[in-house]
Coordinates of all heavy atoms in Angstrom, one line a residue:
M1 N 0.8 -1.2 0.0 CA 0.0 0.0 0.0 C 0.9 1.2 0.0 O 1.9 1.3 0.6 CB -0.9 0.0 1.2 CG -1.8 1.2 1.3 SD -3.0 1.0 2.7 CE -4.5 0.9 1.7
E2 N 0.4 2.3 -0.7 CA 1.2 3.5 -0.8 C 1.3 4.2 0.6 O 0.4 4.2 1.4 CB 0.6 4.5 -1.8 CG 1.0 4.3 -3.2 CD 0.5 5.4 -4.1 OE1 0.5 6.5 -3.7 OE2 0.0 5.0 -5.2
D3 N 2.4 5.0 0.8 CA 2.5 5.8 1.9 C 1.5 7.0 1.8 O 1.5 7.7 0.8 CB 3.9 6.3 2.0 CG 4.2 7.1 3.3 OD1 3.3 7.5 3.9 OD2 5.4 7.2 3.6
A4 N 0.7 7.1 2.8 CA -0.4 8.2 2.8 C 0.2 9.6 2.7 O -0.4 10.5 2.1 CB -1.2 8.1 4.1
R5 N 1.5 9.8 3.1 CA 2.1 11.1 2.9 C 2.4 11.4 1.5 O 2.5 12.6 1.1 CB 3.3 11.2 3.8 CG 3.1 11.2 5.2 CD 4.4 11.2 6.0 NE 5.1 9.9 5.7 CZ 6.3 9.6 6.1 NH1 7.0 10.5 6.8 NH2 6.8 8.5 5.8
K6 N 2.6 10.4 0.6 CA 2.9 10.6 -0.7 C 1.7 10.8 -1.6 O 1.8 11.4 -2.7 CB 3.8 9.5 -1.2 CG 5.1 9.4 -0.6 CD 5.9 8.2 -1.1 CE 7.2 8.0 -0.3 NZ 7.9 6.9 -0.8
S7 N 0.6 10.3 -1.2 CA -0.6 10.3 -2.1 C -1.8 10.9 -1.3 O -2.3 10.2 -0.4 CB -0.9 8.9 -2.6 OG -2.1 8.9 -3.3
P8 N -2.2 12.1 -1.6 CA -3.3 12.7 -0.8 C -4.6 11.8 -1.1 O -4.8 11.3 -2.1 CB -3.5 14.1 -1.4 CG -2.2 14.4 -2.1 CD -1.6 13.1 -2.5
R9 N -5.3 11.6 0.0 CA -6.5 10.8 -0.1 C -7.7 11.7 -0.3 O -7.9 12.7 0.5 CB -6.7 10.0 1.2 CG -5.5 9.1 1.5 CD -5.2 8.1 0.4 NE -4.0 7.4 0.7 CZ -3.7 6.2 0.3 NH1 -4.6 5.5 -0.4 NH2 -2.6 5.6 0.6
C10 N -8.6 11.4 -1.2 CA -9.7 12.3 -1.5 C -11.1 11.6 -1.2 O -12.1 12.2 -1.4 CB -9.7 12.9 -2.8 SG -9.6 11.7 -4.1
G11 N -11.0 10.3 -0.9 CA -12.3 9.6 -0.7 C -13.2 10.2 0.3 O -14.4 10.3 0.1
L12 N -12.6 10.6 1.5 CA -13.4 11.2 2.5 C -14.0 12.5 2.1 O -15.2 12.8 2.4 CB -12.6 11.3 3.8 CG -13.3 11.9 5.0 CD1 -14.5 10.9 5.4 CD2 -12.4 12.0 6.2
L13 N -13.2 13.3 1.3 CA -13.7 14.6 0.8 C -15.0 14.3 -0.1 O -16.0 15.0 0.1 CB -12.6 15.2 0.0 CG -12.9 16.5 -0.7 CD1 -13.0 17.6 0.3 CD2 -11.9 16.8 -1.8
V14 N -14.9 13.4 -1.0 CA -16.0 13.1 -1.9 C -17.2 12.6 -1.1 O -18.3 13.0 -1.3 CB -15.6 12.1 -3.0 CG1 -16.8 11.6 -3.8 CG2 -14.6 12.7 -3.9
R15 N -17.0 11.6 -0.2 CA -18.1 11.0 0.6 C -18.8 12.1 1.5 O -20.0 12.2 1.5 CB -17.5 9.9 1.5 CG -18.6 9.2 2.3 CD -18.1 8.2 3.3 NE -17.2 7.2 2.6 CZ -15.9 7.1 2.9 NH1 -15.3 7.7 3.8 NH2 -15.2 6.2 2.2
E16 N -18.0 13.0 2.1 CA -18.6 14.0 3.0 C -19.4 15.0 2.1 O -20.5 15.4 2.5 CB -17.6 14.7 3.8 CG -17.0 13.8 4.9 CD -15.9 14.5 5.7 OE1 -15.4 15.6 5.3 OE2 -15.6 14.0 6.8
A17 N -18.9 15.4 1.0 CA -19.7 16.3 0.1 C -21.0 15.6 -0.4 O -22.0 16.2 -0.4 CB -18.8 16.7 -1.1
R18 N -20.9 14.3 -0.8 CA -22.0 13.6 -1.3 C -23.1 13.5 -0.2 O -24.3 13.7 -0.4 CB -21.6 12.2 -1.7 CG -22.8 11.3 -2.2 CD -22.3 10.0 -2.7 NE -21.6 9.2 -1.7 CZ -22.2 8.5 -0.7 NH1 -23.5 8.6 -0.5 NH2 -21.4 7.8 0.2
R19 N -22.7 13.2 1.0 CA -23.6 13.1 2.1 C -24.2 14.5 2.5 O -25.4 14.6 2.8 CB -23.0 12.5 3.4 CG -22.7 11.0 3.2 CD -22.0 10.4 4.3 NE -21.9 9.0 4.2 CZ -21.1 8.2 4.9 NH1 -20.4 8.7 5.9 NH2 -21.0 6.9 4.7
R20 N -23.4 15.6 2.4 CA -24.0 16.9 2.7 C -25.1 17.2 1.7 O -26.0 17.9 2.1 CB -22.8 18.0 2.4 CG -22.2 18.4 3.7 CD -21.4 19.7 3.4 NE -20.5 19.8 2.2 CZ -19.3 19.2 2.1 NH1 -18.8 18.6 3.1 NH2 -18.6 19.4 1.0
H21 N -25.0 16.7 0.5 CA -26.0 17.0 -0.6 C -27.1 16.0 -0.6 O -27.9 16.0 -1.5 CB -25.3 17.2 -1.9 CG -24.4 18.4 -2.0 ND1 -25.0 19.7 -2.2 CD2 -23.1 18.6 -1.8 CE1 -24.0 20.6 -2.1 NE2 -22.9 19.9 -1.9
K22 N -27.0 15.0 0.3 CA -28.0 14.0 0.5 C -28.2 13.1 -0.8 O -29.3 12.7 -1.2 CB -29.3 14.5 0.9 CG -29.2 15.2 2.3 CD -30.6 15.7 2.8 CE -30.6 16.4 4.1 NZ -29.4 16.7 4.8
H23 N -27.0 12.8 -1.5 CA -27.0 12.0 -2.6 C -26.5 10.6 -2.2 O -25.6 10.5 -1.3 CB -26.1 12.5 -3.7 CG -26.5 13.8 -4.3 ND1 -27.8 14.1 -4.7 CD2 -25.8 14.9 -4.5 CE1 -27.8 15.3 -5.1 NE2 -26.6 15.9 -5.1
D24 N -27.0 9.5 -2.8 CA -26.3 8.3 -2.6 C -25.3 8.1 -3.8 O -25.2 8.9 -4.7 CB -27.3 7.1 -2.5 CG -28.2 7.0 -3.8 OD1 -27.8 7.5 -4.9 OD2 -29.3 6.3 -3.7
Q25 N -24.5 7.1 -3.7 CA -23.5 6.9 -4.7 C -24.1 6.7 -6.1 O -23.5 7.2 -7.1 CB -22.6 5.6 -4.4 CG -21.7 5.9 -3.2 CD -20.9 4.6 -2.8 OE1 -21.2 3.5 -3.3 NE2 -19.9 4.8 -2.0
A26 N -25.2 6.0 -6.2 CA -25.9 5.8 -7.5 C -26.3 7.2 -8.1 O -26.1 7.4 -9.3 CB -27.1 4.9 -7.4
E27 N -26.8 8.1 -7.3 CA -27.3 9.4 -7.8 C -26.1 10.2 -8.3 O -26.1 10.8 -9.4 CB -28.0 10.2 -6.7 CG -28.3 11.6 -7.1 CD -29.2 11.8 -8.3 OE1 -29.9 10.9 -8.8 OE2 -29.2 13.0 -8.8
L28 N -25.0 10.2 -7.5 CA -23.8 10.9 -7.9 C -23.2 10.3 -9.2 O -22.9 11.1 -10.2 CB -22.8 10.9 -6.8 CG -21.4 11.6 -7.1 CD1 -21.7 13.1 -7.6 CD2 -20.5 11.5 -6.0
A29 N -23.2 9.0 -9.3 CA -22.7 8.4 -10.5 C -23.6 8.7 -11.7 O -23.0 9.0 -12.8 CB -22.7 6.8 -10.3
R30 N -24.9 8.8 -11.5 CA -25.8 9.2 -12.6 C -25.5 10.6 -13.1 O -25.4 10.8 -14.3 CB -27.3 9.1 -12.2 CG -28.3 9.3 -13.3 CD -29.7 9.5 -12.8 NE -29.9 10.6 -12.0 CZ -29.9 11.9 -12.4 NH1 -29.7 12.2 -13.7 NH2 -30.1 12.9 -11.5
R31 N -25.3 11.5 -12.2 CA -25.0 12.9 -12.5 C -23.7 13.0 -13.3 O -23.5 13.9 -14.1 CB -24.9 13.7 -11.3 CG -26.2 14.0 -10.6 CD -25.9 14.7 -9.2 NE -27.2 15.1 -8.7 CZ -27.6 16.3 -8.6 NH1 -26.8 17.3 -9.0 NH2 -28.8 16.6 -8.0
L32 N -22.7 12.1 -13.1 CA -21.4 12.1 -13.7 C -21.3 11.2 -14.9 O -20.3 11.2 -15.6 CB -20.4 11.7 -12.7 CG -20.1 12.7 -11.5 CD1 -19.4 12.0 -10.4 CD2 -19.4 13.9 -12.1
G33 N -22.3 10.4 -15.2 CA -22.3 9.5 -16.3 C -21.3 8.4 -16.1 O -20.6 7.9 -17.0
T34 N -21.2 7.9 -14.8 CA -20.3 6.8 -14.5 C -21.1 5.7 -13.7 O -22.3 5.8 -13.6 CB -19.1 7.3 -13.8 OG1 -18.1 6.3 -13.7 CG2 -19.4 7.8 -12.4
S35 N -20.4 4.8 -13.1 CA -21.0 3.8 -12.4 C -20.9 4.0 -10.9 O -20.0 4.7 -10.4 CB -20.4 2.4 -12.7 OG -19.1 2.4 -12.2
Q36 N -21.9 3.4 -10.1 CA -21.8 3.5 -8.7 C -20.5 2.9 -8.1 O -19.9 3.4 -7.2 CB -23.1 2.8 -8.1 CG -23.1 2.7 -6.6 CD -22.4 1.5 -6.0 OE1 -22.3 0.5 -6.6 NE2 -21.8 1.7 -4.8
A37 N -20.1 1.8 -8.8 CA -18.9 1.1 -8.4 C -17.6 2.1 -8.5 O -16.7 2.1 -7.6 CB -18.6 -0.1 -9.2
A38 N -17.6 2.9 -9.5 CA -16.5 3.9 -9.7 C -16.5 4.9 -8.5 O -15.4 5.2 -8.0 CB -16.6 4.6 -11.0
I39 N -17.7 5.4 -8.1 CA -17.8 6.3 -7.0 C -17.3 5.6 -5.7 O -16.6 6.2 -4.9 CB -19.2 6.8 -6.8 CG1 -19.7 7.6 -8.1 CG2 -19.3 7.7 -5.6 CD1 -18.8 8.8 -8.5
S40 N -17.7 4.4 -5.5 CA -17.3 3.6 -4.4 C -15.8 3.4 -4.3 O -15.2 3.6 -3.2 CB -18.0 2.2 -4.4 OG -17.5 1.4 -3.3
R41 N -15.2 3.2 -5.4 CA -13.7 3.0 -5.4 C -13.0 4.3 -5.1 O -12.0 4.3 -4.3 CB -13.2 2.5 -6.8 CG -13.5 1.0 -7.1 CD -12.8 0.5 -8.3 NE -13.2 1.2 -9.5 CZ -14.3 0.8 -10.3 NH1 -15.1 -0.2 -9.9 NH2 -14.6 1.5 -11.4
I42 N -13.5 5.4 -5.5 CA -12.9 6.7 -5.1 C -13.1 7.0 -3.7 O -12.2 7.3 -3.0 CB -13.6 7.9 -6.0 CG1 -13.2 7.7 -7.4 CG2 -13.2 9.2 -5.4 CD1 -13.9 8.6 -8.4
E43 N -14.3 6.7 -3.1 CA -14.6 7.0 -1.7 C -13.8 6.1 -0.8 O -13.5 6.5 0.3 CB -16.1 6.9 -1.4 CG -16.9 8.0 -2.0 CD -18.3 8.0 -1.6 OE1 -18.8 7.1 -0.8 OE2 -19.1 8.9 -2.0
R44 N -13.4 4.9 -1.3 CA -12.6 4.0 -0.5 C -11.1 4.1 -0.7 O -10.3 3.4 -0.2 CB -13.1 2.5 -0.7 CG -14.5 2.2 -0.2 CD -14.9 0.8 -0.4 NE -15.1 0.5 -1.8 CZ -14.7 -0.6 -2.5 NH1 -14.1 -1.5 -1.9 NH2 -14.9 -0.7 -3.8
D45 N -10.8 5.2 -1.5 CA -9.4 5.5 -1.8 C -8.7 4.3 -2.5 O -7.5 4.1 -2.4 CB -8.6 5.9 -0.6 CG -9.0 7.3 -0.1 OD1 -9.2 8.2 -0.9 OD2 -9.2 7.4 1.1
L46 N -9.4 3.5 -3.3 CA -8.8 2.4 -4.1 C -8.3 3.0 -5.4 O -7.4 2.4 -6.0 CB -9.9 1.3 -4.4 CG -10.4 0.6 -3.1 CD1 -11.4 -0.4 -3.5 CD2 -9.3 0.0 -2.3
V47 N -8.8 4.1 -5.8 CA -8.3 4.8 -7.0 C -8.2 6.3 -6.6 O -8.9 6.8 -5.7 CB -9.2 4.7 -8.2 CG1 -9.3 3.3 -8.7 CG2 -10.6 5.2 -8.0
S48 N -7.3 7.0 -7.2 CA -7.0 8.4 -6.9 C -7.3 9.2 -8.2 O -6.6 9.1 -9.1 CB -5.6 8.6 -6.5 OG -5.4 10.0 -6.2
P49 N -8.5 9.9 -8.2 CA -8.8 10.6 -9.4 C -7.9 11.8 -9.6 O -7.3 12.3 -8.7 CB -10.2 11.1 -9.1 CG -10.3 11.2 -7.6 CD -9.4 10.1 -7.1
S50 N -7.8 12.3 -10.9 CA -7.0 13.5 -11.2 C -7.7 14.7 -10.6 O -8.9 14.6 -10.2 CB -6.9 13.6 -12.7 OG -8.2 13.9 -13.2
I51 N -7.0 15.8 -10.5 CA -7.6 17.0 -10.0 C -8.8 17.4 -10.8 O -9.8 17.8 -10.3 CB -6.6 18.1 -9.9 CG1 -5.6 17.8 -8.8 CG2 -7.2 19.5 -9.6 CD1 -4.4 18.8 -8.6
E52 N -8.7 17.2 -12.1 CA -9.8 17.6 -13.0 C -11.0 16.7 -12.8 O -12.1 17.2 -12.7 CB -9.3 17.4 -14.5 CG -8.3 18.4 -15.0 CD -6.9 18.0 -14.6 OE1 -6.6 16.8 -14.2 OE2 -5.9 18.8 -14.8
T53 N -10.8 15.4 -12.6 CA -11.9 14.5 -12.3 C -12.5 14.9 -10.9 O -13.8 14.9 -10.8 CB -11.5 13.1 -12.3 OG1 -11.0 12.8 -13.6 CG2 -12.6 12.1 -11.9
L54 N -11.7 15.1 -9.9 CA -12.2 15.5 -8.6 C -13.0 16.8 -8.7 O -14.1 16.8 -8.1 CB -11.0 15.6 -7.6 CG -11.4 15.8 -6.2 CD1 -12.3 14.7 -5.6 CD2 -10.1 15.9 -5.3
N55 N -12.5 17.7 -9.4 CA -13.3 19.0 -9.5 C -14.6 18.7 -10.2 O -15.7 19.3 -9.9 CB -12.5 20.1 -10.3 CG -13.2 21.4 -10.1 OD1 -13.5 21.9 -9.0 ND2 -13.4 22.1 -11.2
R56 N -14.6 17.9 -11.3 CA -15.9 17.5 -12.0 C -16.9 16.8 -11.0 O -18.1 17.1 -11.0 CB -15.6 16.6 -13.1 CG -16.7 16.4 -14.1 CD -16.2 15.8 -15.4 NE -15.9 14.4 -15.3 CZ -16.8 13.4 -15.4 NH1 -18.0 13.7 -15.7 NH2 -16.4 12.2 -15.2
I57 N -16.4 16.0 -10.1 CA -17.2 15.3 -9.1 C -17.8 16.4 -8.2 O -19.0 16.4 -7.9 CB -16.4 14.3 -8.3 CG1 -16.0 13.1 -9.2 CG2 -17.2 13.8 -7.1 CD1 -15.0 12.2 -8.6
M58 N -17.0 17.3 -7.7 CA -17.5 18.3 -6.8 C -18.5 19.2 -7.5 O -19.5 19.6 -6.9 CB -16.3 19.1 -6.2 CG -15.3 18.3 -5.5 SD -16.0 17.1 -4.3 CE -16.3 18.2 -2.9
E59 N -18.2 19.6 -8.8 CA -19.2 20.4 -9.5 C -20.5 19.8 -9.7 O -21.5 20.4 -9.8 CB -18.5 20.9 -10.8 CG -17.5 21.9 -10.7 CD -16.8 22.4 -12.0 OE1 -17.0 21.7 -13.0 OE2 -16.2 23.4 -12.0
A60 N -20.5 18.4 -9.9 CA -21.8 17.7 -10.0 C -22.6 17.8 -8.8 O -23.8 17.6 -8.9 CB -21.5 16.2 -10.3
M61 N -22.0 18.2 -7.7 CA -22.8 18.4 -6.4 C -22.9 19.9 -6.1 O -23.3 20.2 -5.0 CB -22.1 17.7 -5.3 CG -22.1 16.2 -5.5 SD -21.3 15.3 -4.1 CE -19.6 15.5 -4.4
G62 N -22.6 20.8 -7.0 CA -22.7 22.2 -6.8 C -21.6 22.8 -6.0 O -21.8 23.9 -5.4
E63 N -20.5 22.2 -5.9 CA -19.3 22.7 -5.2 C -18.1 22.9 -6.2 O -18.2 22.4 -7.3 CB -18.9 21.8 -4.0 CG -20.0 21.7 -3.0 CD -19.6 21.0 -1.7 OE1 -18.4 20.8 -1.5 OE2 -20.4 20.6 -1.0
T64 N -17.1 23.6 -5.7 CA -15.9 23.7 -6.5 C -14.7 23.5 -5.6 O -14.9 23.5 -4.3 CB -15.8 25.1 -7.2 OG1 -14.7 25.0 -8.1 CG2 -15.6 26.2 -6.2
M65 N -13.6 23.2 -6.1 CA -12.4 23.0 -5.3 C -11.5 24.2 -5.3 O -11.5 25.0 -6.2 CB -11.5 21.9 -5.9 CG -12.2 20.5 -5.8 SD -11.2 19.2 -6.4 CE -9.6 19.8 -6.7
V66 N -10.8 24.4 -4.2 CA -9.8 25.4 -4.0 C -8.5 24.7 -3.6 O -8.6 24.1 -2.5 CB -10.2 26.5 -3.0 CG1 -9.1 27.5 -2.8 CG2 -11.5 27.2 -3.4
V67 N -7.5 24.8 -4.3 CA -6.3 24.1 -4.0 C -5.2 25.1 -3.6 O -5.0 26.1 -4.3 CB -5.8 23.2 -5.2 CG1 -4.5 22.5 -4.9 CG2 -6.9 22.2 -5.7
S68 N -4.5 24.8 -2.5 CA -3.4 25.6 -2.1 C -2.3 24.8 -1.5 O -2.5 23.6 -1.2 CB -3.8 26.7 -1.2 OG -4.3 26.1 0.1
T69 N -1.1 25.3 -1.3 CA 0.0 24.6 -0.7 C 0.5 25.4 0.5 O 0.3 26.6 0.5 CB 1.1 24.3 -1.7 OG1 1.6 25.6 -2.1 CG2 0.6 23.5 -2.9
T70 N 1.1 24.7 1.4 CA 1.8 25.4 2.6 C 3.1 24.7 2.8 O 3.2 23.4 2.8 CB 0.9 25.2 3.8 OG1 -0.4 25.7 3.6 CG2 1.5 25.8 5.0
P71 N 4.2 25.5 2.9 CA 5.5 24.8 3.2 C 5.4 24.1 4.5 O 4.8 24.5 5.5 CB 6.4 26.0 3.3 CG 5.8 27.1 2.5 CD 4.3 26.9 2.7
L72 N 6.2 22.9 4.5 CA 6.2 22.1 5.7 C 6.7 22.8 7.0 O 6.4 22.4 8.1 CB 6.9 20.8 5.5 CG 6.3 19.8 4.5 CD1 7.2 18.7 4.2 CD2 5.0 19.4 5.0
N73 N 7.6 23.8 6.8 CA 8.2 24.4 7.9 C 7.3 25.6 8.5 O 7.7 26.3 9.4 CB 9.6 24.9 7.6 CG 9.6 25.9 6.5 OD1 8.7 26.1 5.8 ND2 10.8 26.5 6.3
E74 N 6.1 25.8 7.9 CA 5.2 26.9 8.3 C 4.1 26.2 9.1 O 3.8 25.0 9.0 CB 4.7 27.7 7.1 CG 5.7 28.5 6.5 CD 5.1 29.4 5.4 OE1 3.9 29.5 5.2 OE2 5.9 30.0 4.7
A75 N 3.4 27.0 9.9 CA 2.3 26.6 10.7 C 1.1 26.1 9.7 O 0.9 26.7 8.7 CB 1.8 27.6 11.6
A76 N 0.5 25.0 10.1 CA -0.6 24.5 9.3 C -1.8 25.5 9.6 O -2.0 26.0 10.7 CB -1.0 23.1 9.8
P77 N -2.6 25.7 8.6 CA -3.8 26.6 8.8 C -4.7 26.0 9.9 O -5.0 24.8 10.0 CB -4.6 26.5 7.4 CG -3.5 26.0 6.5 CD -2.5 25.2 7.2
G78 N -5.0 26.9 10.9 CA -5.8 26.5 12.0 C -5.1 25.7 13.1 O -5.7 25.2 14.0
A79 N -3.7 25.5 13.0 CA -3.0 24.7 13.9 C -2.1 25.6 14.9 O -1.2 25.1 15.4 CB -2.1 23.7 13.2
G80 N -2.5 26.9 15.0 CA -1.7 27.7 15.8 C -0.3 28.0 15.2 O -0.2 28.2 14.0
N81 N 0.7 27.9 16.0 CA 2.1 28.2 15.5 C 3.0 26.9 15.4 O 4.2 27.0 15.4 CB 2.8 29.2 16.3 CG 2.9 28.7 17.8 OD1 2.5 27.7 18.1 ND2 3.5 29.6 18.6
V82 N 2.4 25.8 15.2 CA 3.1 24.5 15.1 C 3.3 24.2 13.6 O 2.3 24.2 12.9 CB 2.4 23.3 15.8 CG1 3.2 22.1 15.7 CG2 2.2 23.7 17.3
A83 N 4.5 23.9 13.2 CA 4.8 23.6 11.8 C 4.3 22.2 11.5 O 4.2 21.3 12.3 CB 6.3 23.6 11.6
I84 N 3.9 22.1 10.2 CA 3.4 20.8 9.7 C 4.4 19.7 10.0 O 4.0 18.6 10.4 CB 3.0 20.9 8.2 CG1 1.9 21.9 8.0 CG2 2.7 19.6 7.6 CD1 1.6 22.3 6.6
S85 N 5.7 20.0 9.8 CA 6.7 18.9 10.0 C 6.7 18.5 11.4 O 6.9 17.3 11.7 CB 8.1 19.4 9.6 OG 8.4 20.6 10.2
E86 N 6.4 19.4 12.4 CA 6.4 19.0 13.8 C 5.1 18.2 14.1 O 5.2 17.2 14.8 CB 6.4 20.2 14.7 CG 7.7 21.0 14.7 CD 7.6 22.3 15.6 OE1 7.2 22.1 16.7 OE2 7.9 23.3 15.1
L87 N 4.0 18.5 13.5 CA 2.8 17.8 13.7 C 3.0 16.4 13.1 O 2.5 15.4 13.7 CB 1.6 18.5 13.0 CG 1.2 19.8 13.6 CD1 0.2 20.5 12.7 CD2 0.6 19.6 15.0
R88 N 3.6 16.3 11.9 CA 3.8 14.9 11.3 C 4.7 14.1 12.2 O 4.5 12.9 12.4 CB 4.4 15.1 10.0 CG 4.7 13.7 9.3 CD 5.2 13.9 7.9 NE 4.1 14.2 7.1 CZ 4.2 14.9 5.9 NH1 5.4 15.3 5.5 NH2 3.2 15.2 5.2
A89 N 5.8 14.7 12.8 CA 6.7 13.9 13.7 C 6.0 13.4 14.9 O 6.1 12.3 15.3 CB 7.9 14.8 14.1
D90 N 5.1 14.3 15.5 CA 4.3 13.9 16.6 C 3.4 12.7 16.3 O 3.3 11.7 17.0 CB 3.5 15.0 17.2 CG 4.3 16.1 17.9 OD1 5.5 15.8 18.2 OD2 3.8 17.2 18.1
Y91 N 2.8 12.8 15.1 CA 1.8 11.8 14.7 C 2.6 10.4 14.5 O 2.1 9.4 14.9 CB 1.2 12.2 13.4 CG 0.4 11.1 12.7 CD1 -0.9 10.8 13.2 CD2 0.8 10.4 11.6 CE1 -1.6 9.7 12.6 CE2 0.1 9.4 11.0 CZ -1.1 9.0 11.6 OH -1.9 8.0 11.0
E92 N 3.8 10.5 13.9 CA 4.5 9.3 13.6 C 5.0 8.6 14.9 O 5.0 7.4 15.0 CB 5.7 9.6 12.7 CG 5.3 9.9 11.3 CD 6.4 10.4 10.4 OE1 7.5 10.7 10.9 OE2 6.1 10.4 9.2
Q93 N 5.2 9.4 15.9 CA 5.6 8.8 17.2 C 4.4 8.1 17.9 O 4.5 7.1 18.6 CB 6.1 9.9 18.2 CG 7.4 10.4 17.8 CD 7.9 11.5 18.7 OE1 7.2 11.9 19.6 NE2 9.1 12.1 18.5
L94 N 3.2 8.6 17.6 CA 2.0 8.0 18.1 C 1.5 6.8 17.3 O 0.7 6.0 17.8 CB 0.8 9.0 18.2 CG 1.1 10.2 19.1 CD1 0.0 11.2 19.0 CD2 1.2 9.7 20.6
T95 N 1.9 6.7 16.1 CA 1.4 5.6 15.2 C 2.3 4.4 15.3 O 3.5 4.4 15.2 CB 1.5 6.1 13.7 OG1 0.7 7.3 13.7 CG2 0.9 5.1 12.8
P96 N 1.7 3.2 15.6 CA 2.5 2.0 15.7 C 3.1 1.6 14.4 O 2.5 1.8 13.3 CB 1.5 0.9 16.2 CG 0.1 1.5 16.0 CD 0.3 3.0 15.9
A97 N 4.3 1.1 14.4 CA 5.0 0.8 13.1 C 4.4 -0.5 12.5 O 3.8 -1.3 13.0 CB 6.5 0.6 13.4

C-alpha cells in the first residue's frame, strides 16, 4: 500500500460532500455518467482521481475545489504556530509501526 504522505486521499472529501448534498453513490454516478462502483472505489481510496476529475465530481454536487499549498516548515492553517513537519513527527511517534 502507498505511503499516505505521498498520495493525498480524497475519498473522505467526496463522501462527505455527497452526504452533505444527500445523494447516494448511484445518484452521484448518474450525474457524472459513470457507475456507482466507480464512486465507491474513489470513496474507499482504491483509486485516486485526477484533480480535473475530482473537480468535476465536486461540480456535479454544486461545489468547487480550491487548491493551495503550505510549506512544511510553516504553521498549518488552524494549527496555531506549530509547523506541519512538527505535527507529522508527533503523529509518527503515536502511530504503531
Side-chain angles (χ1 to χ4, degrees):
M1 180 174 247
E2 273 187 46
D3 185 341
R5 292 176 295 173
K6 294 180 184 177
S7 178
R9 307 299 174 150
C10 59
L12 185 60
L13 177 76
V14 171
R15 183 181 309 115
E16 287 178 347
R18 178 179 57 77
R19 288 178 177 169
R20 261 194 317 277
H21 292 280
K22 300 185 180 5
H23 297 313
D24 59 21
Q25 289 179 346
E27 171 60 19
L28 179 56
R30 186 191 63 74
R31 289 171 173 252
L32 291 164
T34 191
S35 67
Q36 177 273 328
I39 301 300
S40 176
R41 285 191 298 274
I42 291 169
E43 289 187 2
R44 291 182 291 140
D45 290 317
L46 297 178
V47 296
S48 182
S50 67
I51 290 176
E52 292 83 9
T53 298
L54 186 56
N55 193 53
R56 193 167 71 88
I57 292 168
M58 300 313 277
E59 285 179 346
M61 294 183 283
E63 297 190 15
T64 192
M65 290 181 14
V66 177
V67 178
S68 66
T69 62
T70 302
L72 292 176
N73 61 347
E74 291 185 8
N81 60 358
V82 180
I84 294 171
S85 56
E86 291 178 52
L87 293 171
R88 178 175 287 153
D90 289 346
Y91 172 77
E92 288 172 351
Q93 288 176 1
L94 295 172
T95 305

